[in-house]
Every structure is written in structure tokens, then in C-alpha cells.
Amino acid sequence: KNYVTGAIDQDNRQLLAKSLLLGGIWMTHQNVDSAKVILSSFFQKAAELALDIHNKTPSDSSPAQASAACFKLGEFAANLYSSLDARTTSDTWKRRNIAVAERRRELEVCSGEVKKLEKKARRSSDNMDAFNELWIHRETLKREVTMDERETRSVETSI
């Protein structure tokens, strides 16, 4: 909860909470940073600070400010979850997962073929050309599978 080093007075704490909230709203509308950063660095901190202000030194405006910050945090988190849920339950995501599974199977088959051709390639230059083409195809598939896994992991961890 290192919002600002040193002691700050009540008015500045309220100003900081409001600034964090408005900064998060602006960043959301401008699509400036990732949702994770906006959530954790702006909305969550604004809500924590506003609630802390309200609990320690309640005033006429502190309930409204704490409520606004908490509602915005909740709204942002709900919208984020809804968009990720819609993405992972869409037909496009399902087709993507089918394509990823097929690509993995193709990589397994290709890797087996590379091993077979590797032995034959040592005996003949004709086999060497086929081996090289298959090896390049396998390496391309490996990169694609790695990218698919990274994207899937990224989406799943953000839910």
C-alpha cells in the first residue's frame, strides 16, 4: 500500500484515491495498458484507499467516494470476466482448440517421420532433400504449437 512515500494529509489521500479512479477510467477508455495493470494499479488501489479513508476518518464525501471506487472496481472486473468468458465459450475459440489439437497431432506424426527419414537420409542425397523439407515443416509446427500454448495459457490465467 505504498501510494506515496511519507505522511500525507486527508485531503491529499482523497485526491489520490479520486485520481487513481479517474486514471483507471481514462486508461480503460483509451486502451492504454493491459486490463491487469489497470485493474491492479488503478481500480484496486483506488478502492482500497477510498475504503481506508472512509474507515479511518469518515466524512460526508467518503462513503460516496468509497462506493464509487468499489463499484468501478467491481464493474471493471465483471466486464473483464464477461469478455473472457465470451471469448472462451465462442464457436471461434472451440474451432481454434480443434485446430490446435490437430496441429499437435500433426507435429507428433511429423516428428516420427523425421526420425525415420533421418536414418535413410544418411544413405542417399535424395532422402536428404526430403528430410530437410520435413525437418523445416516440423520446426514450423513446433513454433506454432508453442505460440498456441502460450496464447491458451495467457487467456486461461487471466480468467
Side-chain angles (χ1 to χ4, degrees), residues 42-70:
F42 291 88
F43 291 131
Q44 187 174 358
K45 286 183 180 180
E48 288 172 357
L49 185 57
L51 283 171
D52 186 52
I53 291 167
H54 175 65
N55 290 334
K56 288 184 179 175
T57 53
S59 67
D60 291 341
S61 64
S62 67
Q65 190 170 0
S67 296
C70 289

Side-chain angles (χ1 to χ4, degrees), residues 73-88:
L73 172 64
E75 179 185 33
F76 186 81
N79 288 340
L80 181 61
Y81 179 81
S82 292
S83 71
L84 289 170
D85 184 53
R87 180 176 179 186
T88 58

Side-chain angles (χ1 to χ4, degrees), residues 105-121 126-143:
R105 281 191 296 277
E106 183 180 357
L107 176 60
E108 289 172 16
V109 169
C110 188
S111 293
E113 291 297 316
V114 165
K115 287 178 184 178
K116 288 178 192 175
L117 270 178
E118 189 173 26
K119 294 173 186 171
K120 291 179 184 178
D126 292 341
N127 287 333
M128 191 62 171
D129 291 340
F131 170 77
N132 286 337
E133 286 181 28
L134 195 58
W135 186 85
I136 290 169
H137 182 63
R138 182 189 66 178
E139 293 304 308
T140 302
L141 285 172
K142 277 184 183 179
R143 280 189 224 110

Side-chain angles (χ1 to χ4, degrees), residues 3-129:
Y3 301 107
V4 175
T5 57
I8 56 173
D9 61 23
Q10 183 67 17
D11 290 338
N12 286 334
R13 286 170 44 91
Q14 287 180 342
L15 180 62
L16 178 59
K18 189 164 191 145
S19 298
L20 286 167
L21 180 62
L22 293 174
I25 292 169
W26 180 85
M27 290 182 80
T28 301
H29 290 291
Q30 299 300 318
N31 202 20
V32 173
D33 214 335
S34 71
K36 182 178 179 180
V37 168
I38 294 170
L39 182 68
S40 63
S41 297
F42 291 88
F43 291 131
Q44 187 174 358
K45 286 183 180 180
E48 288 172 357
L49 185 57
L51 283 171
D52 186 52
I53 291 167
H54 175 65
N55 290 334
K56 288 184 179 175
T57 53
S59 67
D60 291 341
S61 64
S62 67
Q65 190 170 0
S67 296
C70 289
F71 283 131
K72 197 51 149 168
L73 172 64
E75 179 185 33
F76 186 81
N79 288 340
L80 181 61
Y81 179 81
S82 292
S83 71
L84 289 170
D85 184 53
R87 180 176 179 186
T88 58
T89 57
S90 71
D91 288 338
T92 304
W93 186 259
K94 291 172 186 172
R95 285 191 305 271
R96 179 202 169 279
N97 286 337
I98 291 168
V100 167
E102 289 173 3
R103 193 173 292 126
R104 281 189 191 120
R105 281 191 296 277
E106 183 180 357
L107 176 60
E108 289 172 16
V109 169
C110 188
S111 293
E113 291 297 316
V114 165
K115 287 178 184 178
K116 288 178 192 175
L117 270 178
E118 189 173 26
K119 294 173 186 171
K120 291 179 184 178
R122 291 182 188 141
R123 291 180 248 155
S124 148
S125 63
D126 292 341
N127 287 333
M128 191 62 171
D129 291 340

